Amino acid sequence: MSSASGVQPDEECIQVYKNLKDRRKVDGETLKYVIYRLNKVGVNGWTIVVDKTSSDPDYETFLGDLPEAEPRWAVYDFEYDLGDAGKRNKLIFVSWSPDAPAVTQAARAQKMVFASSKDAFRRALDTFGTDIQANELDDISVENVLRRVTRA
């Protein structure tokens, strides 16, 4: 599936996402999150690739894996407790675009391609319960994510 920018995810992106969504064990472990990035191909081309996968359930580890100055997309299997109603899980799609200035022409181009590719990439993966645009870590703090996933 292509976006307005023409960027397409590679096959691994889709497969890894399906493993996360279906809670399939990979190498004996169930994935907790996947981080995706843009990869430069040739002079003017881009593709979306898997940057990192993890089965670490610590949310702070996930936050630490997001780069300070480069955009990323991520899918996180967010678990929360509703007390008497029990525990729930919801896949969240995070579009991480830190406010750090894009100093080089290449960095500016990457941010523009990133922004124009989000919707098509999200559709290529599947539906999500929650979609979060984050420009700083506070946007995706546990408290803010919990508030978003429990909204009626």
Side-chain angles (χ1 to χ4, degrees):
M1 172 160 299
S2 64
S3 66
S5 66
V7 175
Q8 297 183 357
D10 69 12
E11 287 300 316
E12 182 189 20
C13 291
I14 307 299
Q15 188 55 55
V16 169
Y17 167 73
K18 287 178 181 177
N19 290 342
L20 173 67
K21 179 179 139 189
D22 298 340
R23 295 187 175 86
R24 289 186 202 133
K25 289 194 183 271
V26 176
D27 296 327
E29 299 196 354
T30 303
L31 292 177
K32 190 68 176 170
Y33 62 91
V34 182
I35 298 175
Y36 302 94
R37 67 177 170 82
L38 285 170
N39 185 47
K40 185 85 167 129
V41 178
V43 178
N44 294 316
W46 296 91
T47 188
I48 300 169
V49 297
V50 172
D51 187 45
K52 179 176 180 88
T53 62
S54 180
S55 57
D56 190 333
D58 182 28
Y59 192 72
E60 294 300 316
T61 300
F62 164 66
L63 295 178
D65 282 341
L66 296 172
E68 290 181 24
E70 294 179 20
R72 295 290 189 270
W73 295 284
V75 180
Y76 189 91
D77 185 4
F78 191 78
E79 183 177 314
Y80 55 101
D81 194 335
L82 293 175
D84 291 341
K87 288 189 176 187
R88 302 281 192 273
N89 286 70
K90 192 171 279 192
L91 289 182
I92 59 171
F93 181 86
V94 176
S95 186
W96 171 248
S97 188
D99 283 333
V103 225
T104 66
Q105 178 66 27
R108 283 189 291 277
Q110 181 186 29
K111 277 196 164 197
M112 289 189 318
V113 171
F114 179 84
S116 67
S117 301
K118 175 194 167 199
D119 290 338
F121 178 50
R122 189 178 183 279
R123 281 191 308 272
L125 293 181
D126 209 339
T127 58
F128 293 90
T130 303
D131 184 342
I132 300 175
Q133 171 66 44
N135 301 100
E136 55 188 45
L137 289 175
D138 189 54
D139 295 336
I140 50 175
S141 67
V142 170
E143 296 79 15
N144 284 334
V145 173
L146 186 59
R147 191 172 16 262
R148 296 281 303 272
V149 301
T150 56
R151 251 188 228 166

